[in-house]
Amino acid sequence: SQFTVHSSQFTVHSSQFTDNIFISERGRMSAKDIGKKAKLGVFYNTIAKLIATFGQFFSVIILARLLHPEEYGIVTAGMLVIGAVTKFGEFGFHNGLVQRKEKVTEKHINTLFLMDFGFKIIIWVAVYFSSAWFASFLNVPELTTALPILSAFMLLECFATTPKAVLRRKMDFKSTSIINTTDKYVSIVSSITLAYLGFGYWSLIYCKILSQFVAAVMAIHKTKWFPKPVFDFKACKDLFHFGVMVSVRNLFKYGSDKIDRFFITKFLGPGPVAIYEKAFELMRMPQKEITRSVNRVVFSAFSRIQDEPERIRRAFRKLLLTVSLLSFPMLFGMAYVAPQFVPLVLGDKWIGMVFPLQIMCVAGILRSTDPFLNSLLTATGFVKSTVSRRAIEFALIAVATWFGVKHGIEGVAVAITGAALVVTFLMVQIITKVTNIGWADYLGPQAPALLTSALMLAIIHIFTFSMNGVLDPAGFAMLILQCVVGMLSYVGLHFIFRFKIVTELIEELMGDSKSGLAKIRSKLGFGKKKASVA
């Protein structure tokens, strides 16, 4: 049990809440309970994300063949606008609800929703009347009609994010996993269906609205909560103190993440930004799903042990080890097979993304731990420490992209990778100053994955060279065999080296899985003696 808590007990004082469905009682959670919920949360979220990644991977392939890069570029440009203006109305109140030590009442929940919904209405009206200006500024005329409809999903999103924040505070990750997976597959199925029927870029817009509607219905049903026109100024103040700094941090973060797309759209057009975005999407797909599945649990768990630095340090090391073992081989392998994968799977019209994809995989290795560094600082109350770092990151990436865009999307990819190296260093420096986590705690857990992934790449290259003249180097057979050789060699290398920290992690996971399987068998009725028939 890596988790414990020292905070005051609280209960929900409202007759309208049933079975504590809204807020779990943090004070009554033992160290064992929190550790168990965290591990179950990682399990449920990881399974959900693996299922979602499987569907998303094939949807990327299908949609890439059904739609043209320019059509993707229109929606990408629209989401850039919506994402930018939305950040001005996101004050981090949802994370404030999860992180808050003191009791949370129904007033906090309804106040949170009303603040969020009110900001989103203002933003939607602003986008509606400024769509023509954005279309002209970005040189994407289609945004004039697309933006008002695309931005409507923000309003539906409010009905899902508030109840899901409640579920996160309760550490009910099973429910959030089911909601998020269903949301993802509704988006996948609807987008492919509409694209096949000839809706073009509108298929990518309608699927967002439909998926958000489904997520909202499921979240409200699970929490048994529905918005009420109850606004409490004290509750607003309670959430605002934490949320305002998160908002500033998130605004800089969004700028850092998206400034490259703005420059590409403005100076190169919707086609190049779609190719760049697709490369980034492919690079981030496995890593993003793994990161998000774990990070949702991490923030909730770290919030509950924020007063115990040694437990946080041990959990942090284990977290980095797990994520690096899963994400590093994928990024190394994707960078190697990109020249065959893109034309074979996506088609020749996407060939321009090969080199940017390879460069982004390098940046992906550096950025794979970034969300956890932010969650650690946010959950332990050091939000201000991340704001200055994000401001520096935004300025650095903006300057790098400004020079990089002059050399096309390839130049932008190289510039972003260089910036990622600098900002990662800055972030770890902040961590070492405000916590008892040192550089050894950051680098040490990632060393096994880095070494075995590099050796895996060497084995794949030797195999490819040895098969030259036997198989078509640009054919499907070679691509499949490269993937198989990579997976087998990566697993085999860990059997050879038997790193102590990896062995200990596997033993712990095996113990947890056996316990989990035993509970599942018990719930299903296996292993129970049948009642004798008189």
Side-chain angles (χ1 to χ4, degrees), residues 282-406:
L282 275 176
M283 179 275 292
R284 287 284 291 168
M285 187 182 298
Q287 178 193 15
K288 179 181 69 175
E289 301 304 338
I290 293 171
T291 300
R292 286 185 176 179
S293 65
V294 178
N295 201 33
R296 289 191 180 98
V297 182
V298 168
F299 179 73
S300 297
F302 279 171
S303 295
R304 284 156 175 73
I305 59 171
Q306 55 186 283
D307 299 322
E308 299 187 64
E310 183 56 30
R311 289 182 180 272
I312 287 181
R313 189 185 71 85
R314 292 200 302 266
F316 181 73
R317 285 177 57 88
K318 193 178 298 182
L319 174 67
L320 293 186
L321 174 63
T322 304
V323 172
S324 62
L325 288 172
L326 293 173
S327 62
F328 282 14
M330 296 182 190
L331 292 168
F332 273 76
M334 187 176 297
Y336 189 86
V337 302
Q340 300 102 289
F341 176 85
V342 172
L344 281 174
V345 179
L346 302 182
D348 291 334
K349 59 186 176 183
W350 297 94
I351 195 69
M353 66 183 285
V354 171
F355 182 70
L357 174 59
Q358 292 177 309
I359 297 298
M360 288 178 185
C361 286
V362 178
I365 294 172
L366 297 171
R367 299 177 64 170
S368 60
T369 59
D370 185 77
F372 306 118
L373 300 177
N374 280 296
S375 289
L376 172 61
L377 290 174
T378 304
T380 52
F382 293 102
V383 182
K384 292 183 180 180
S385 300
T386 65
V387 174
S388 58
R389 180 264 186 177
R390 287 298 185 187
I392 296 173
E393 178 184 12
F394 172 69
L396 182 63
I397 291 180
V399 173
T401 305
W402 173 262
F403 288 101
V405 76
K406 299 177 182 179

Side-chain angles (χ1 to χ4, degrees), residues 484-512:
V484 172
V485 169
M487 289 187 291
L488 293 177
S489 61
Y490 181 71
V491 174
L493 286 167
H494 279 285
F495 274 105
I496 294 173
F497 286 104
R498 293 188 179 275
F499 299 100
K500 182 179 179 181
I501 56 175
V502 177
T503 303
E504 291 174 349
L505 177 65
I506 293 175
E507 290 175 352
E508 181 178 346
L509 293 176
M510 290 294 289
D512 292 337

Side-chain angles (χ1 to χ4, degrees), residues 233-288:
F233 285 98
K234 184 179 183 305
C236 176
K237 183 179 179 180
D238 292 339
L239 297 172
F240 186 83
H241 178 71
F242 176 88
V244 67
M245 294 307 298
V246 174
S247 175
V248 176
R249 192 272 312 277
N250 288 345
L251 190 59
F252 282 124
K253 180 180 184 300
Y254 183 82
S256 302
D257 291 341
K258 301 297 183 181
I259 190 66
D260 49 351
R261 277 79 156 181
F262 271 108
F263 278 123
I264 295 173
T265 304
K266 175 67 176 177
F267 297 108
L268 302 179
V273 77
I275 293 175
Y276 182 88
E277 179 70 16
K278 186 63 64 178
F280 187 83
E281 181 183 358
L282 275 176
M283 179 275 292
R284 287 284 291 168
M285 187 182 298
Q287 178 193 15
K288 179 181 69 175

